[in-house]
Every structure is written in C-alpha cells, then in structure tokens.
Amino acid sequence: MTKMEDLASPCNPTWCAGCGNFGIWGAFKAAAVQQGWDNLNSVLVAGIGCHGHMINFVRLTSFEGLHGRPIPVATGIKLANNKLNVFVFTGDGDCLGEGGNHFIHACRRNHDLTILLHNNALYSLTTGQASPETPHGTKTKSTPLGNPDEPFSPLALAIASGATFVARGFSGDMAKLTELIIKANEHKGLSVIDILQPCTTFNKDYTYGFFRENTYQLPQDYDPGNKVKAFEKSLEWTEKQIPLGILYQAEKPSYESQITQIKEKPLIENLVTKRDIQDLFKKYS
Ligand SMILES: Cc1ncc(C[n+]2csc(CCOP(=O)(O)OP(=O)(O)O)c2C)c(N)n1
Ligand code: SF4
C-alpha cells in the first residue's frame, strides 16, 4: 500500500506559481496511492525541462536522462525488468523536438510504457522559445517576428506511428487526469497522454481559461476502437473543439510480450554466469 506521505520528497517544488506541472504532480501521486505504486514496482524517467523536475518531487525510484532521451532509457529499464510500471515524464520539446525519433519508434514498437507528455507548447526551462507545439505566428524569444512554423498534433503522430493507447488530459482537471494515468498504465502497450499544461510564466495564450473554454470531454458513446475516427479527433483543434479523454485504444501485443528471453521471467532474475569466450574470438578472428 502506498500512502501520500510515502511519496513526499525532501525537495519542495520549484515550479512557478500556478504552473500546470502542479496538477500533473498531484494527479500522478493520487494515481500512485490508488494503485500502490512504490519503489519496488515502479520507475519514473524524465527528460530535461521544467517537466523533468517532477522526479525530484516524488519519492520513487527515478532517472533523469539527457534532453530528448527519456524514452530510450525507459525502454532499457522495461526490457531489464518487464514487471515494472515504467512512466516517462517528457515535454513537448523533449519528446517531439529533440526526442521525436525515439517517440515515433517507441510507438511503432508498442513498448509497454506510459508517456506523460507535459505539453505547454514552449521550451519553458530555457525561458520560452518556440517548440514543435507553438502555434504559427506566435512571438517568442526565438521567433520575435512570429513563428513561421506550423505545430503538429502529437496524438495524430502517435496513432499514425502505432501507439495503442492515445489520450489527452488537462492539468487543470486532476480527477480526470488521475483516471487517465491509471488507465494508461493498465494498458499493455505504448500509452501516451498529451497533457495540456499551462506555463503561467511564458505562455500567455494557452491559459487555464483558454483550456477550460475550448476543451470538451469525449462523450460516453465515443468508440476509441475506431482508428479512422480517432485520427480525425486527434486533428481537432478549433474554438471549443479540443477533445479530452481516450481518443484511441487497441489491443496488440506489446514489444516486451514478444521477446522470448523475457517471457518466463524478467532479465534481471537470470543468474549471471561467467563464460570463456576465447573460442568464439578464435572462430571469428
Ligand atoms: C541536447 C540538449 N539540447 C538542448 C538543451 C537545452 N535545453 C534544456 S531544457 C530545454 C527545453 C525543454 O523544453 P520542453 O521539453 O518542452 O520542457 P519544458 O521546460 O517546457 O517542461 C532545452 C532546449 C539540453 N539540455 N540538451
Ligand atoms: S517556466 Fe512555465 S513550465 Fe516552467 S515552471 Fe514556470 S510556469 Fe511552469
């Protein structure tokens, strides 16, 4: 059993007042308590950015990778011990810019990971430059005349690349986000939650008010098994028409479930034995 106090870290959050990362932090901890995630059954991996500080504020086993590289680290952890719940905390810059290649191939391989994509549409830690999610025309420090690039939908990319659980949450609705995090972790395969996360310091467009006014929950009768419909939904981003919830879910063998060497038991439960490999060297030299 995990209690809220077990997750309390000696470090107090350093995020700015009102930052959306607080909501993600609260939702993740609530999910951990409900599900009993602890140091023996779960690992958190983060990239570099404001989002990455998350692992300093939750007392669970964690690893902060290089910028853009939390997914390959998480993949390695999952392959070494496929019994673990492995959570990736990543930013839109980290996951879709620097780490875009890793994201695509993790989706394609359907690795059994839960990716929490803190999407504030900026590179915030480095003081608000344009990211792959910044709207066209937005003035930032790196685009003082207006962003000439178009953003893309991370959820459309995830569906097209082969992810099998694709959802969107809002950090301002912790209760719903907690549910999504639990469902994403229960899903066997690559789960991604695009989390709309206000950056109160640098993003003056994507505010709590903007998201409250412009998002809606997918209705009860929405069928997440319909891939074409899900793709259509993933491209919806207009006034009052930003869908929240599980857009797409499919059952497909995860990468890990197909690796025969870890079918019986995790890699780390195998005994390490010493072998003389001199004959091999001779054979191939
Ligand atoms: C290889 C590398 N490139 C660039 C940086 C500088 N850098 C650190 S954080 C960051 C942006 C992070 O943006 P995002 O992933 O969106 O996270 P946020 O801060 O918005 O949560 C950059 C460019 C770095 N640390 N390493
Ligand atoms: S800069 Fe933005 S994302 Fe970073 S802690 Fe402050 S409000 Fe949050």
Side-chain angles (χ1 to χ4, degrees):
M1 205 175 91
T2 302
K3 297 194 286 301
M4 201 48 98
E5 51 268 35
D6 299 332
L7 301 173
S9 135
C11 314
N12 285 323
T14 48
W15 294 310
C16 310
C19 173
N21 282 317
F22 282 102
I24 304 174
W25 183 53
F28 181 79
K29 288 193 298 173
V33 169
Q34 284 182 41
Q35 298 297 298
W37 297 334
D38 61 24
N39 272 330
L40 295 178
N41 62 28
S42 302
V43 176
L44 321 184
V45 185
I48 305 294
C50 296
H51 64 274
H53 299 333
M54 177 70 73
I55 60 166
N56 300 319
F57 313 139
V58 181
R59 198 177 191 138
L60 285 177
T61 306
S62 59
F63 187 94
E64 192 165 14
L66 294 172
H67 184 45
R69 311 286 178 245
I71 290 176
V73 172
T75 305
I77 293 171
K78 188 74 187 184
L79 279 170
N81 186 356
N82 54 318
K83 280 187 183 165
L84 292 170
N85 304 303
V86 182
F87 299 94
V88 179
F89 295 90
T90 181
D92 46 300
D94 191 73
C95 185
L96 306 170
E98 193 92 14
N101 176 31
H102 301 300
F103 180 66
I104 291 172
H105 295 289
C107 291
R108 181 172 67 85
R109 296 189 178 119
N110 200 27
H111 282 293
D112 190 15
L113 306 172
T114 297
I115 299 177
L116 289 93
L117 171 46
H118 301 220
N119 191 346
N120 55 23
L122 286 177
Y123 290 136
S124 289
L125 185 71
T126 43
T127 70
Q129 295 82 3
S131 84
E133 294 306 291
T134 308
H136 181 254
T138 304
K139 289 188 178 170
T140 71
K141 285 187 182 153
S142 59
T143 56
L145 302 179
N147 185 15
D149 298 337
E150 289 287 346
F152 63 87
S153 162
L155 299 185
L157 179 65
I159 295 169
S161 306
T164 48
F165 182 103
V166 178
R168 185 183 283 120
F170 169 40
S171 68
D173 187 344
M174 268 174 47
K176 289 239 162 43
L177 186 55
T178 303
E179 272 175 41
L180 279 183
I181 295 171
I182 292 172
K183 285 185 180 155
N185 181 61
E186 281 170 351
H187 177 79
K188 294 287 162 228
L190 198 287
S191 303
V192 58
I193 311 175
D194 177 34
I195 306 173
L196 305 176
Q197 180 242 308
C199 166
T200 43
T201 299
F202 296 111
N203 197 327
K204 303 300 176 194
D205 298 321
Y206 289 163
T207 59
Y208 287 93
F210 174 89
F211 289 129
R212 287 210 175 92
E213 262 174 45
N214 291 295
T215 56
Y216 71 97
Q217 288 291 336
L218 288 167
Q220 289 287 342
D221 61 357
Y222 173 79
D223 172 16
N226 183 333
K227 195 168 187 175
V228 173
K229 187 80 197 159
F231 196 72
E232 241 175 59
K233 283 280 163 205
S234 72
L235 296 173
E236 264 185 21
W237 189 280
T238 51
E239 207 180 323
K240 303 203 187 304
Q241 283 300 315
I242 302 174
L244 297 175
I246 303 171
L247 278 72
Y248 179 61
Q249 186 164 15
E251 273 192 37
K252 224 179 112 192
S254 70
Y255 182 88
E256 289 74 17
S257 71
Q258 300 172 77
I259 303 297
T260 45
Q261 293 90 329
I262 58 175
K263 270 222 163 88
E264 300 299 321
K265 57 182 175 180
L267 213 51
I268 54 145
E269 287 179 18
N270 287 296
L271 286 177
V272 178
T273 51
K274 280 193 178 170
R275 281 210 199 144
D276 185 352
I277 54 169
Q278 288 308 317
D279 285 347
L280 270 183
F281 278 132
K282 274 186 209 145
K283 187 173 169 188
Y284 292 108
S285 59

